[in-house]
Amino acid sequence: MHCETVLQPADLIWPLFVTDGKGAEEPIPSLPGVSRWSSDGIALRAKAAVEQGIPCIALFPNTQPDRRSENGIEALNPDNLMCRAIRAVRDAVGDDIGILTDVALDPYTSHGQDGLIDDAGYVLNDDTVEVLVGQALNQAAAGADIIAPSDMMDGRIGTIRSALESESHVNVQIMSYAAKYASAFYGPFRDAVGSGGLLKGDKKTYQMDPANGEEALREVAMDIEEGADSVMVKPGLPYLDIVRAVKDRFEVPVFAYQVSGEYAMIEAAVAAGVGDRNALVLETLLSFKRAGCSGILTYYADLAARLLNE
Ligand code: PBG
């Protein structure tokens, strides 16, 4: 009789992987059913998203190895893969879709870390923040609507916020990956952006310990204080307790990312004949809403929207 929670296409953000070229599609083996697309293909998918009522896409570039470097400087190139994809989407659908862009250096570094590293391979917080500001401004200038720092450096939200203001990108929002855990669920993503094979070690010095819940709330409080418009919890399903705690404690929209490993797990279950894809997808996405999410980043956005629109 009464349904407390409703899932709608408007709740979904669709992450898309970008590759070079024209008319190019590169299937990603560890994410069966997901491909990298060249900008023209990304634009087509943005069109499809608009038609299905998906309000936002998230772009991730797979940068060619010869454009990666120790300091990830390609992140600042106004003509890099990300910026070209943003412009292609704008040309195709104008402002009918929101474009969210990830701020972190891992698609551009030759070592696969999210920031600049010292000789011992340790990520340097403050030096990294300086580059991230340049990256965020570069994306905003290309037309991004939402800047999503996923790097987990301390102090980057405030610094990016003031840089956006002073460069007159006052309407660009910041969705902070505030509670991002050092997780075993990111493997397929790292294949998708080509950083997996390069990464030595792990990201545990800047991503959070899965054992910590209170720390997540401190990270969220800090990012809101520094000017985040919304916050994200990541991964998704194993961290719905964090989503709920953030939702109860703070008055900003909270988003969650159903990450690549979660997607791959569902696909593995389907391939093994132990689960029904459509049912698993709709149930997991509904659970995010029940936990308090304002929206969900999911590789299933297109499928889910189609099912919901049927
Ligand atoms: C990059 C980034 C990662 C994801 C989103 N942005 C990977 C990482 O931190 O290594 C993961 C998304 C996914 O697994 O789907 N900083």
Side-chain angles (χ1 to χ4, degrees), residues 152 178-179 181 206-222 242:
M152 290 295 280
Y181 286 89
Y206 47 102
Q207 298 182 353
M208 286 177 36
D209 182 341
N212 294 352
E214 293 295 331
E215 185 188 359
L217 300 180
R218 285 198 296 277
E219 294 277 356
V220 168
M222 246 179 339
I242 308 296

mmCIF file of all heavy atoms in Angstrom, residues 152 178-179 181 206-222 242:
data_model
loop_
_atom_site.group_PDB
_atom_site.id
_atom_site.type_symbol
_atom_site.label_atom_id
_atom_site.label_comp_id
_atom_site.label_asym_id
_atom_site.label_seq_id
_atom_site.Cartn_x
_atom_site.Cartn_y
_atom_site.Cartn_z
ATOM 1 N N MET A 152 41.502 12.479 -2.131
ATOM 2 C CA MET A 152 41.596 12.374 -0.670
ATOM 3 C C MET A 152 42.786 13.110 -0.051
ATOM 4 O O MET A 152 43.207 12.803 1.069
ATOM 5 C CB MET A 152 41.608 10.902 -0.212
ATOM 6 C CG MET A 152 40.290 10.173 -0.401
ATOM 7 S SD MET A 152 38.944 10.823 0.599
ATOM 8 C CE MET A 152 39.294 10.063 2.188
ATOM 9 N N ALA A 178 34.254 12.370 -0.015
ATOM 10 C CA ALA A 178 34.695 12.679 1.355
ATOM 11 C C ALA A 178 35.082 11.417 2.108
ATOM 12 O O ALA A 178 36.063 11.388 2.839
ATOM 13 C CB ALA A 178 33.593 13.425 2.094
ATOM 14 N N ALA A 179 34.269 10.391 1.942
ATOM 15 C CA ALA A 179 34.540 9.142 2.654
ATOM 16 C C ALA A 179 34.882 8.078 1.617
ATOM 17 O O ALA A 179 34.029 7.324 1.164
ATOM 18 C CB ALA A 179 33.325 8.732 3.469
ATOM 19 N N TYR A 181 37.167 4.904 0.876
ATOM 20 C CA TYR A 181 37.933 3.873 1.578
ATOM 21 C C TYR A 181 38.991 3.234 0.682
ATOM 22 O O TYR A 181 38.793 3.103 -0.528
ATOM 23 C CB TYR A 181 36.969 2.807 2.114
ATOM 24 C CG TYR A 181 36.193 3.323 3.308
ATOM 25 C CD1 TYR A 181 34.985 3.986 3.153
ATOM 26 C CD2 TYR A 181 36.718 3.198 4.588
ATOM 27 C CE1 TYR A 181 34.292 4.493 4.255
ATOM 28 C CE2 TYR A 181 36.034 3.699 5.692
ATOM 29 C CZ TYR A 181 34.827 4.348 5.511
ATOM 30 O OH TYR A 181 34.167 4.855 6.595
ATOM 31 N N TYR A 206 46.421 7.635 1.978
ATOM 32 C CA TYR A 206 45.458 8.745 1.844
ATOM 33 C C TYR A 206 44.003 8.307 1.755
ATOM 34 O O TYR A 206 43.111 9.106 2.003
ATOM 35 C CB TYR A 206 45.832 9.691 0.688
ATOM 36 C CG TYR A 206 46.191 9.042 -0.641
ATOM 37 C CD1 TYR A 206 45.274 9.005 -1.677
ATOM 38 C CD2 TYR A 206 47.439 8.482 -0.858
ATOM 39 C CE1 TYR A 206 45.599 8.432 -2.903
ATOM 40 C CE2 TYR A 206 47.776 7.902 -2.079
ATOM 41 C CZ TYR A 206 46.849 7.885 -3.096
ATOM 42 O OH TYR A 206 47.174 7.324 -4.306
ATOM 43 N N GLN A 207 43.734 7.056 1.402
ATOM 44 C CA GLN A 207 42.354 6.587 1.454
ATOM 45 C C GLN A 207 42.081 5.992 2.837
ATOM 46 O O GLN A 207 42.998 5.648 3.563
ATOM 47 C CB GLN A 207 42.098 5.568 0.336
ATOM 48 C CG GLN A 207 42.296 6.192 -1.058
ATOM 49 C CD GLN A 207 42.005 5.238 -2.206
ATOM 50 O OE1 GLN A 207 41.771 4.054 -2.008
ATOM 51 N NE2 GLN A 207 42.040 5.764 -3.428
ATOM 52 N N MET A 208 40.804 5.864 3.181
ATOM 53 C CA MET A 208 40.469 5.522 4.570
ATOM 54 C C MET A 208 40.493 4.025 4.876
ATOM 55 O O MET A 208 40.257 3.196 4.011
ATOM 56 C CB MET A 208 39.089 6.085 4.909
ATOM 57 C CG MET A 208 39.114 7.592 5.090
ATOM 58 S SD MET A 208 37.475 8.229 5.389
ATOM 59 C CE MET A 208 36.804 6.926 6.353
ATOM 60 N N ASP A 209 40.729 3.740 6.138
ATOM 61 C CA ASP A 209 40.728 2.372 6.651
ATOM 62 C C ASP A 209 39.280 1.883 6.762
ATOM 63 O O ASP A 209 38.468 2.521 7.434
ATOM 64 C CB ASP A 209 41.398 2.397 8.040
ATOM 65 C CG ASP A 209 41.506 1.013 8.656
ATOM 66 O OD1 ASP A 209 40.778 0.085 8.216
ATOM 67 O OD2 ASP A 209 42.309 0.864 9.589
ATOM 68 N N PRO A 210 38.947 0.759 6.102
ATOM 69 C CA PRO A 210 37.571 0.257 6.163
ATOM 70 C C PRO A 210 37.066 0.016 7.589
ATOM 71 O O PRO A 210 35.853 -0.090 7.807
ATOM 72 C CB PRO A 210 37.643 -1.075 5.397
ATOM 73 C CG PRO A 210 38.785 -0.892 4.450
ATOM 74 C CD PRO A 210 39.788 -0.028 5.172
ATOM 75 N N ALA A 211 37.951 -0.027 8.547
ATOM 76 C CA ALA A 211 37.514 -0.242 9.929
ATOM 77 C C ALA A 211 36.931 1.020 10.563
ATOM 78 O O ALA A 211 36.339 0.953 11.635
ATOM 79 C CB ALA A 211 38.703 -0.726 10.776
ATOM 80 N N ASN A 212 37.102 2.176 9.906
ATOM 81 C CA ASN A 212 36.763 3.435 10.570
ATOM 82 C C ASN A 212 35.481 4.088 10.058
ATOM 83 O O ASN A 212 35.377 4.438 8.884
ATOM 84 C CB ASN A 212 37.914 4.428 10.407
ATOM 85 C CG ASN A 212 39.158 3.958 11.151
ATOM 86 O OD1 ASN A 212 39.106 2.982 11.899
ATOM 87 N ND2 ASN A 212 40.252 4.654 10.944
ATOM 88 N N GLY A 213 34.538 4.265 10.981
ATOM 89 C CA GLY A 213 33.287 4.948 10.667
ATOM 90 C C GLY A 213 33.280 6.391 11.150
ATOM 91 O O GLY A 213 32.859 7.294 10.427
ATOM 92 N N GLU A 214 33.745 6.617 12.359
ATOM 93 C CA GLU A 214 33.775 7.990 12.907
ATOM 94 C C GLU A 214 34.666 8.890 12.052
ATOM 95 O O GLU A 214 34.374 10.060 11.835
ATOM 96 C CB GLU A 214 34.307 7.986 14.349
ATOM 97 C CG GLU A 214 33.391 7.302 15.352
ATOM 98 C CD GLU A 214 32.065 8.043 15.526
ATOM 99 O OE1 GLU A 214 32.048 9.273 15.348
ATOM 100 O OE2 GLU A 214 31.056 7.367 15.804
ATOM 101 N N GLU A 215 35.771 8.303 11.589
ATOM 102 C CA GLU A 215 36.696 9.083 10.767
ATOM 103 C C GLU A 215 35.988 9.596 9.509
ATOM 104 O O GLU A 215 36.245 10.714 9.050
ATOM 105 C CB GLU A 215 37.899 8.213 10.379
ATOM 106 C CG GLU A 215 38.982 8.973 9.633
ATOM 107 C CD GLU A 215 40.090 8.060 9.071
ATOM 108 O OE1 GLU A 215 40.023 6.834 9.278
ATOM 109 O OE2 GLU A 215 40.997 8.597 8.413
ATOM 110 N N ALA A 216 35.085 8.785 8.980
ATOM 111 C CA ALA A 216 34.339 9.211 7.788
ATOM 112 C C ALA A 216 33.558 10.475 8.103
ATOM 113 O O ALA A 216 33.504 11.405 7.297
ATOM 114 C CB ALA A 216 33.403 8.103 7.331
ATOM 115 N N LEU A 217 32.957 10.518 9.282
ATOM 116 C CA LEU A 217 32.154 11.691 9.642
ATOM 117 C C LEU A 217 33.040 12.919 9.811
ATOM 118 O O LEU A 217 32.649 14.034 9.467
ATOM 119 C CB LEU A 217 31.352 11.398 10.920
ATOM 120 C CG LEU A 217 30.392 10.212 10.779
ATOM 121 C CD1 LEU A 217 29.640 9.974 12.077
ATOM 122 C CD2 LEU A 217 29.409 10.438 9.636
ATOM 123 N N ARG A 218 34.250 12.711 10.325
ATOM 124 C CA ARG A 218 35.185 13.849 10.436
ATOM 125 C C ARG A 218 35.601 14.349 9.054
ATOM 126 O O ARG A 218 35.678 15.545 8.814
ATOM 127 C CB ARG A 218 36.432 13.433 11.245
ATOM 128 C CG ARG A 218 36.188 13.324 12.746
ATOM 129 C CD ARG A 218 37.498 13.344 13.529
ATOM 130 N NE ARG A 218 38.356 12.204 13.237
ATOM 131 C CZ ARG A 218 38.247 10.997 13.814
ATOM 132 N NH1 ARG A 218 37.302 10.778 14.710
ATOM 133 N NH2 ARG A 218 39.058 10.009 13.492
ATOM 134 N N GLU A 219 35.861 13.425 8.148
ATOM 135 C CA GLU A 219 36.242 13.820 6.776
ATOM 136 C C GLU A 219 35.099 14.591 6.111
ATOM 137 O O GLU A 219 35.324 15.599 5.437
ATOM 138 C CB GLU A 219 36.567 12.583 5.929
ATOM 139 C CG GLU A 219 37.794 11.798 6.366
ATOM 140 C CD GLU A 219 39.102 12.396 5.832
ATOM 141 O OE1 GLU A 219 39.035 13.376 5.061
ATOM 142 O OE2 GLU A 219 40.175 11.889 6.208
ATOM 143 N N VAL A 220 33.879 14.116 6.299
ATOM 144 C CA VAL A 220 32.712 14.777 5.707
ATOM 145 C C VAL A 220 32.561 16.179 6.297
ATOM 146 O O VAL A 220 32.363 17.163 5.568
ATOM 147 C CB VAL A 220 31.427 13.947 5.931
ATOM 148 C CG1 VAL A 220 30.188 14.755 5.579
ATOM 149 C CG2 VAL A 220 31.476 12.658 5.116
ATOM 150 N N ALA A 221 32.688 16.291 7.627
ATOM 151 C CA ALA A 221 32.545 17.594 8.287
ATOM 152 C C ALA A 221 33.568 18.581 7.732
ATOM 153 O O ALA A 221 33.247 19.736 7.434
ATOM 154 C CB ALA A 221 32.714 17.435 9.803
ATOM 155 N N MET A 222 34.799 18.117 7.570
ATOM 156 C CA MET A 222 35.868 18.978 7.064
ATOM 157 C C MET A 222 35.562 19.460 5.651
ATOM 158 O O MET A 222 35.714 20.631 5.325
ATOM 159 C CB MET A 222 37.190 18.196 7.038
ATOM 160 C CG MET A 222 38.206 18.737 7.996
ATOM 161 S SD MET A 222 39.771 17.855 8.052
ATOM 162 C CE MET A 222 39.533 16.230 7.430
ATOM 163 N N ILE A 242 27.679 3.936 6.557
ATOM 164 C CA ILE A 242 28.313 5.259 6.518
ATOM 165 C C ILE A 242 27.371 6.256 5.831
ATOM 166 O O ILE A 242 27.208 7.395 6.278
ATOM 167 C CB ILE A 242 29.668 5.194 5.763
ATOM 168 C CG1 ILE A 242 30.573 4.083 6.325
ATOM 169 C CG2 ILE A 242 30.371 6.546 5.793
ATOM 170 C CD1 ILE A 242 31.015 4.277 7.743
#
